[in-house]
Amino acid sequence: MSSLALSVLLSLVSAVAYAAAAIVQERVAVGASGGPSSLLRDVRWWVAVGLSGVGGLLHVVALAYGPLSLVQPLGALTIVFALPMAALFARGAVRAGPGAGRVADPAAWRGALSATAGLAGLLALTGPAADSRPPDADGRTVLAAVAFGAIAVLFLLARRVRRPVLRGVVLAAGSGVAFGVASVFTKIAAEALEVLPGRGTSGLLPAVLVTAGLAVTGLLMSQASYRGAGLAAPLATVTVVNPVVAAAVGIGLFDERFRFGTAGTALALVCGAVAAAGLVLLTTRRQPVPATVLVSDRDATRPEVGERIDVGAVPRARAHLEVEVRPGAVAGGS
């Protein structure tokens, strides 16, 4: 197998691992009832962390065997793999009741494919600098401060948003910023390890610490983004924002450029618009509404009159309950 073919294979497996991690995270978010500390006791969450680690490791190895212009666009296939994988998973999860196993609708597919196509084109047009130089200590400090500041603003903004899907997208954008800047600091740390004239390892420890902080922040915000927002919109947002932020920082700090000069820059803007349109479609689409019923029963051991409950939560042993379905009582979706 050639190095190029191995790079493609590793990239595809990496995308599948990331997609599986996102699906597990979304399942954890559906059933989560506590704060961040409850995640540490959830085995499924650790499985998602492990899958993300495997995806990241395979991505790094793929970069060792293939060019960045090929590996990065293939990483955008994560959302394309995630939707059919989630649909297969939903067949077994749908029996768990409303809210479990939500399958992506055609609008989600159109939005996801649009975001993926735009991102792939944008990454394919981004080229390395002829003489890449890492930013100095002051530049790294400013970058870290701006990144954490932007993440804090997005987090506070998400707390003020009521729509679950929009809130999930804002949190996912913060996660994408964290992961994108973490990739930049990973590159800085890697270059600090190189024994080259004029370069030492003085920037290694700060870069590693900042990378770790951003990675943990991105993971927690990514997990929170799936609560009530489904899978497609948050995952597509992270998938797009992450490399776009990394590419923007690369252009600003590493003197990277778009290929083909002015024409390439114009085409990159078009690709960015296509990706943004996909995210807008995912954000504004109507979410499926879980069915709810009103239980009319005066037994104190049963739900109170007028209480809203999930259809899947009604025990079969209480099938004799008088259950009246009222369209006006169905909870509104996002």
Side-chain angles (χ1 to χ4, degrees):
M1 181 181 293
S2 65
S3 297
L4 186 62
L6 180 59
S7 176
V8 171
L9 178 61
L10 291 173
S11 298
L12 295 177
V13 178
S14 172
V16 171
Y18 278 132
I23 293 171
V24 176
Q25 281 187 292
E26 198 264 343
R27 292 293 89 216
V28 172
V30 168
S33 57
S37 60
S38 64
L39 297 176
L40 301 178
R41 300 188 298 271
D42 196 322
V43 176
R44 297 175 301 170
W45 187 74
W46 287 107
V47 170
V49 172
L51 288 169
S52 296
V54 170
L57 179 61
L58 291 175
H59 182 76
V60 171
V61 176
L63 287 172
Y65 286 96
L68 182 66
S69 59
L70 173 67
V71 175
Q72 285 291 78
L74 287 176
L77 293 175
T78 297
I79 182 65
V80 178
F81 289 146
L83 294 184
M85 289 170 61
L88 292 175
F89 182 84
R91 293 179 181 177
V94 70
R95 295 183 179 180
R102 187 182 302 172
V103 182
D105 54 20
W109 273 105
R110 290 194 297 271
L113 292 175
S114 176
T116 302
L119 175 61
L122 186 64
L123 294 177
L125 290 169
T126 304
D131 183 20
S132 178
R133 294 182 180 276
D136 55 18
D138 291 338
R140 294 194 295 268
T141 301
V142 171
L143 175 60
V146 171
F148 281 111
I151 293 169
V153 169
L154 290 171
F155 177 76
L156 294 176
L157 178 61
R159 292 177 62 89
R160 301 180 64 87
V161 176
R162 294 185 177 182
R163 285 191 58 201
V165 175
L166 185 56
R167 181 172 61 248
V169 167
V170 174
L171 288 170
S175 176
V177 171
F179 286 135
V181 179
S183 299
V184 175
F185 275 95
T186 300
K187 181 176 182 179
I188 293 173
E191 292 191 356
L193 289 174
E194 297 179 5
V195 182
L196 294 175
R199 294 186 185 180
T201 59
S202 59
L204 177 59
L205 182 58
V208 170
L209 293 177
V210 173
T211 300
L214 288 169
V216 172
T217 302
L219 183 62
L220 293 177
M221 292 187 72
S222 174
Q223 179 63 61
S225 70
Y226 292 112
R227 180 170 293 184
L231 175 68
L235 180 57
T237 302
V238 173
T239 303
V240 170
V241 173
N242 178 353
V244 166
V245 168
V249 174
I251 292 173
L253 295 182
F254 291 89
D255 199 30
E256 295 180 350
R257 292 290 182 267
F258 290 115
R259 292 184 173 88
F260 312 119
T262 303
T265 302
L267 186 57
L269 292 176
V270 173
C271 292
V274 171
L279 293 181
V280 170
L281 180 58
L282 285 169
T283 304
T284 57
R285 73 187 180 90
R286 181 177 295 276
Q287 290 285 96
V289 181
T292 59
V293 298
L294 293 182
V295 177
S296 301
D297 194 285
R298 300 184 181 277
D299 190 337
T301 62
R302 296 169 183 169
E304 296 180 358
V305 176
E307 180 181 353
R308 291 179 179 178
I309 63 173
D310 292 334
V311 173
V314 179
R316 292 184 179 180
R318 294 183 179 177
H320 64 279
L321 289 177
E322 297 179 4
V323 180
E324 179 183 0
V325 179
R326 299 178 186 174
V330 177
S334 300

